[in-house]
Amino acid sequence: MAVVAVYSVKGGVGKTTMAANLAWCSAEISCRRTLLWDLDASGGASFLLGVEPRKKKVATSVFALERDPAKLIRKTAHKRLDVLPADETIRALENQFMDMGKRKRLAKIAAQLGKDYERIIFDCPPVLNETSAQVVRAADLIIVPLPPSPLSTRAFDRVVEVVKANTSRHPPILPVLSMLDLRRNLHRATREEHPDWPTVPQASAVEQCAVRQQPVGAFAPRSPAARSFQHLWTAIERKLAKRK
């Protein structure tokens, strides 16, 4: 089992769309039993896979010591892909972590769920608090979406600081140029500066994910966007294979 966190301290970088599409690639391309764990109060990752939050507020119940988190998992329309949804109660998650005093509560639950799943993908909120610290301690790999801009580079540096401050084992970090538009001079220059970073283009097919509530590979498998997510997932699997 491996945990992949899609995380940025900056919002609006394509994080949620990336998490949902990577989870689909894991299930469909790698044929792995995959769980997309929505840790963002907006519930966007769940929505992109057609899973709406239940009327009963249960997101923080996952972390209760007496609750079985597996009972809160929901099936999707995609084979081998399930979702652990978020709802508005997850906004209180930081306080819950602090009250429990369990520095690796998220990691422990992920390990428990790993008995049933080969890959767990976190869609993380853009925060700098105990929740992000818990994510770092649980992750085997951290994916950082970075739209080409000076502010995004600064955001990447902050993620590196968070990782160094909260774990001694330093999970690898993979930056990804997201929302890339090579018609723009800044985007081309950033791409030339980082030729080895994976990319995800700014594309109408990616925007359609929210309209269709499907990953792009499910409705536009030959599109450049679908291929970019597939290439990114291949890079992720290669990094995970190098784990000791």
Side-chain angles (χ1 to χ4, degrees):
M1 191 273 288
V3 175
V4 178
V6 184
Y7 173 57
S8 174
V9 298
K10 187 174 182 293
V13 299
K15 170 186 62 62
T16 293
T17 302
M18 186 173 293
N21 277 276
L22 291 179
W24 182 87
C25 288
S26 173
E28 182 68 22
I29 297 173
S30 296
C31 297
R32 296 188 182 278
R33 299 186 307 277
T34 304
L35 176 67
L36 176 61
W37 191 338
D38 195 343
L39 291 168
D40 195 326
S42 66
S46 308
F47 175 83
L48 285 177
L49 292 181
V51 176
E52 298 286 358
R54 297 184 189 276
K55 292 182 179 180
K56 184 179 180 181
K57 308 306 183 183
V58 296
T60 53
S61 299
V62 175
F63 301 93
L65 295 175
E66 73 282 358
R67 192 70 182 265
D68 179 4
K71 293 181 178 179
L72 304 176
I73 290 172
R74 310 247 322 256
K75 298 288 185 181
T76 74
H78 308 284
K79 190 176 180 180
R80 294 179 294 270
L81 178 55
D82 297 338
V83 171
L84 190 46
D87 59 52
E88 63 185 24
T89 65
I90 211 165
R91 298 182 190 278
L93 186 55
E94 180 186 9
N95 291 335
Q96 186 173 355
F97 280 140
M98 299 299 290
D99 291 342
M100 294 173 68
K102 305 287 187 179
R103 297 182 72 251
K104 294 187 177 182
R105 180 61 179 159
L106 182 59
K108 184 175 181 180
I109 296 175
Q112 178 182 341
L113 294 173
K115 298 174 183 178
D116 297 315
Y117 296 97
E118 298 169 276
R119 296 288 181 263
I120 297 177
I121 314 293
F122 290 156
D123 179 34
C124 307
V127 294
L128 283 168
N129 57 22
E130 178 59 22
T131 299
S132 56
Q134 292 267 345
V135 165
V136 166
R137 296 177 195 126
D140 296 294
L141 177 65
I142 299 173
I143 309 300
V144 185
L146 298 167
S149 78
L151 287 177
S152 293
T153 302
R154 185 177 181 183
F156 178 71
D157 292 338
R158 293 292 289 134
V159 172
V160 173
E161 291 173 8
V162 171
V163 172
K164 290 182 177 179
N166 288 286
T167 180
S168 58
R169 62 183 180 89
H170 299 301
I173 303 172
L174 180 61
V176 179
L177 289 176
S178 64
M179 306 166 70
L180 182 68
D181 185 349
L182 292 177
R183 296 172 298 180
R184 301 182 182 183
N185 292 335
L186 176 60
H187 288 215
R188 288 199 304 272
T190 306
R191 177 63 176 144
E192 292 169 1
E193 184 180 356
H194 303 288
D196 297 331
W197 288 6
T199 64
V200 173
Q202 178 78 46
S204 59
V206 176
E207 296 171 353
Q208 282 292 311
C209 289
V211 177
R212 296 171 178 263
Q213 290 186 270
Q214 288 185 320
V216 66
F219 64 85
R222 295 183 177 86
S223 66
R227 291 196 299 269
S228 71
F229 284 123
Q230 292 166 13
H231 293 158
L232 174 54
W233 182 252
T234 298
I236 289 170
E237 287 281 29
R238 286 173 180 167
K239 280 192 171 290
L240 293 175
K242 295 178 181 178
R243 291 180 301 160
K244 295 182 179 180

